[in-house]
Amino acid sequence: MNKEDLELELFLQAVYKLSGFDFRKYMLSSITRRVENRLRLEGLDNISQLTEKVIHHDTYLNKVLDDFSINVTEMFRDPSFFLTFRERVIPKLRELTEIRVWHAGCSSGEEAYSMAILLQEEGLGHKTKIYATDMNEKILDKAKKGVIPLSKMQAYTKNYIQAGGKNSFSEYYHTDHQFAYFHPELLNKIVFAQHNLVTDRSFNEFHIIVCRNVLIYFNLDLQFNVIELFRDSLSPDGFLGLGSKEVLRTDVHPSFEEFDTMDKIYRKKAES
């Protein structure tokens, strides 16, 4: 092991011991980029100096945790996923008396709100509860407010239309000169809570789990563990939606079968 690798290992160990957040099984390339960026911002020469700062100053620990939290999302992200969900998955859900959805790694909540809109348009909103989780408490506080910069709404409206939206997207929010505010009846469909995919376990049984563009930041061992967590959290015949660059190998996870290959939707096999 070279000195830089040793420094990074000790740094991640310190972060875990101090915060309880374990990044040791994240993709090394992703973690390294974020650490190098923090070194530049702080004017530090090496990771050992950053480790010392993290150990002795809470502000540095919080900065690093923010660096490692992936907060990239948008309304109806990858519209074809939501269109396929609307056309192929929704018919399978209509017979259920209740629908529980888990958006794991929800970031600031845009995709959870997208799902709430879709289910409402399909007449399933009254029997749906969406649980949206993330490891980052600060981003969850933002998500709970349902406030989006107005500058993003034009692109989000385009996504909504491509995702098969049935109404005018503007029906779901009101605006001022800076922000769009989702209506309270939409906010009330979603429960936001902290959950760490690396260390926390299952907390309910769900009919749908959506975790898109999160697994790409995990190494293979951690990806395997998280998929097994989703398996344990899904009801038989439940659906799992992954991101466009993510793949679930059914030979490795035989409890799942491909439902839609293009849009990375999988289904948990019914128990025989």
Side-chain angles (χ1 to χ4, degrees), residues 108-110 112-113 116-117 120 128-132 141-148 172-174 180-192:
S108 49
E110 278 93 328
Y113 287 116
I117 290 170
Q120 181 173 315
T128 298
K129 196 67 177 183
I130 298 174
Y131 298 83
D141 288 339
K142 177 182 177 182
K144 292 173 185 177
K145 297 175 182 177
V147 179
I148 306 291
Y172 298 104
Y173 60 86
H174 64 275
Y181 304 85
F182 285 117
H183 295 161
E185 56 267 28
L186 198 63
L187 304 182
N188 293 337
K189 295 291 183 183
I190 307 174
V191 175
F192 289 98

Side-chain angles (χ1 to χ4, degrees), residues 45-88:
D45 295 326
N46 53 60
I47 299 174
S48 293
Q49 292 179 0
L50 182 59
T51 303
E52 182 181 1
K53 296 282 189 182
V54 163
I55 291 173
H56 295 290
H57 303 282
D58 288 344
T59 55
Y60 281 88
L61 178 60
N62 291 332
K63 288 179 181 180
V64 167
L65 293 177
D66 285 342
D67 290 341
F68 289 173
S69 178
I70 312 302
N71 299 318
V72 179
T73 188
E74 61 186 48
M75 296 290 298
F76 295 95
R77 185 180 188 183
D78 300 324
S80 66
F81 170 85
F82 287 93
L83 181 61
T84 297
F85 191 94
R86 188 189 293 269
E87 293 177 344
R88 298 201 59 203

